[in-house]
Amino acid sequence: MSGAWEGKLYDVIVMGGGPAGATLAARLRKDPGLSVAIFESERFPREHIGESFVPSVVSSLQESGALGRVLASDCWIKKGGGYYSWDAVRPWSTFFEHKAYERDGYRRWAFHANRAELDDILLRHAEENGAEVFEGTPIKQVYRRDGFTEVDLGEKGSARCKVFVNASGRYSVTSLGGPREFLSSYRNIAIWSYIRKGKPAQSLPGDWNIFRESGVSPIGSFAFEDGWFWYIPIPLEVDGRREVVHSLGLVTDPRGLKSKRDYMSASVFMETARKVPFLRDLVADAELIYDEFRTTANYSRISHQMCSWENREIRVGDAAFFVDPLFSTGVHFALHHTAAAAVLVRAAFDEAMPEQHREDLWHDYDQMLRKQAQVFSLAIDQWYNEISLAHPGSVYWRERSERATFEVRNATFHYLVNGSLDEDLLHVISQGNDAVEALSETGAWRATFAQLQRLRPADDALVQLMPNVKFRKSVTLEHPIADSAEDKLDARPQAFDHGPYWESPEQHAHEVAPRFGRPSPCLRFYFEDGDPQDTVRILWNRPNSALLARLSQPHAYGPLLAGCSLSERVLLEQLLLKGMMKIIQ
C-alpha cells in the first residue's frame, strides 16, 4: 500500500509533526520553491507533556506565522513568569525578562496551553501553508544513498528527499550514528494528572507573590523531600465542556527514594501534594479528574550528532537533546532549533554560497545545540543542588554531584561565562541575589565556573597564538558577540529587548530582528594540522585586524585583555580554552 508520496522527490522530509516539525515546515514554506512533507506516526490531536512555555515561543510562532491562529483559539492562558519554592519560608518569583521589565515597564509574557490543541493548530498551519502532511505514517528506517535520503515507511512504501529533518522526539530512527549521552547525574521521572477545584497559583498571599495584583498566571514549582511538583492551569475539554483545570505533576529520581512511596497511587499522590508548603494551600480542596496517571522518563540526554552536512540530516527539538523540564524550556529549545535549521536548509539549496561556508553553517548548528544543552543542564543541576541544601534528606542530596558535569574545554567560554546563566534563572536559583557567587559551591554550574576561572593565565603571563593556528574568512550561523550596531547585519533589537513588541507581537513584528537572519561574516581560527571544523570564530570587522597583529607576538595577558573589546575578550578566552594560544611564562 503506497500513498501520495510514492515516486516523489521532496526537497525536505520532516519526521514528526510536533511543534518542532510543524514550525520548521511552516518556516520553510515561506519560500514556496521548496517542497516539504511531514510524516507523523500518530494522528492529531494527541496528548503530550509540556504545557507551559517561555516568551521566546511567542516570537518563534510569530516568525512562523502561526501566532495569530494560536491566540485566536481557546487553548491557552497568559503566563507572566514563575515562582519556585524549595523551603517552607519564602518562594522566589520572577517576571519574564525581569531586568528588561524593570528597565522599560513592559511585561514579557508566554502562555500555558492544552498541548493536544496547540500542536494540532501548528500542524494544520504547516499544512495550510503548503507542507504535505501524512499522519498515521511512521518512518521505519532512514538511508542515505546516491545523494538522496530514502525513508522506509514499511508496508506503505517509501519516499525520498534531498534534506531530511528528524523532529520525532527522543526515540527515533536516523541516518546518524552514535549514542545518546546523559547530560546529568540525575535520572528523573515525571508522574502527572489533572485536577479541578485548585486555586490559581497567583492567589497565594505574601509580598513575594508579584503576580497576585495583575492576576496573570505564573507557573508554580514546589520542592519537597522526594523532588518537586509543577502546578499549571490548562483550559481543557472535560466531558465535552471546556474548563480551566490544573496539570499537577511530580518529578523525582526514583534511585534515591528512601520512602518508597507509590506515587502512582492517587491517595499517596494527593496526600503528598497537600503536605508541601504553599502547594497545599492551592490543592486543599482539589480533586483528581481522572483515575489514571501518566508517567515519562525525564532523563536529560543529548544526541551524538545534531546534524550532518554529508548526510544532509538535521535534528531539531527532543531528537537533538532533552533537558529536564524544570524551567519550561522544552518547546523553547525546539522552536529555537527550527529558526536555525531553516537557515541550514536554505543554505543547502543556495548554490551561490561556497561549499565550505555551507559546511561551516552546519557545523555551527551542531556546536550551538551542544552548548545549549550542556549549559542549561548545568543550571538545572545547580538548582537541584540548592534543593538538596534545603532538604538534606532529599533524593537530590543523595544523588547530587560535587564536580563539574563536563570537561570545560568542550564548552565555549562565551556561553558559560560571558553569556552567563539566564538572568531570570539566576534570580530564582540565587533567591534574588543575582550573582553566580551566591550559588552553592557544590553545584554543577558554580563548580564549572570555578574550573574556568582556574584555567585563566596570570595577568603577567606572556601569551601568543600557536604557530600552527591559522584563520580564514567565512560566515557564521550563531552570531558571536557584536560590539556595536554597525557589526550587525540587522540592527533591530531582538524581541525580548523591545518592550512595545509585547503589547502586540504581530503589530510590532517589523520592529524586531528574527532570531536567525542572514549568516554573518566572520573569521574562523583553526589548527592547520587538525580538524578544519574545530574552530573559534569572531565577527569580522576592520578593528579586529589590529588584534590579529598583536596575537602573532608575545603579549602580557592582562594588558592584552584590557585593551580588547567585548567580542575580542571572548575570542581570547576561547582561543586559550581550545589550546590555540600558548602561555610562554
Side-chain angles (χ1 to χ4, degrees), residues 132-144:
E132 296 183 33
V133 176
F134 305 107
E135 298 174 74
T137 311
I139 293 176
K140 305 294 186 180
Q141 292 292 335
V142 180
Y143 308 98
R144 186 71 182 176

Side-chain angles (χ1 to χ4, degrees), residues 80-119:
Y83 60 77
Y84 302 81
S85 171
W86 57 87
D87 57 41
V89 180
R90 176 188 175 93
W92 287 92
S93 55
T94 183
F95 293 122
F96 288 125
E97 302 293 337
H98 71 283
K99 288 192 175 181
Y101 165 67
E102 292 169 0
R103 182 177 65 248
D104 60 27
Y106 291 93
R107 290 186 180 174
R108 283 70 175 163
W109 53 273
F111 45 81
H112 315 283
N114 175 3
R115 280 292 301 274
E117 292 179 77
L118 175 69
D119 291 5

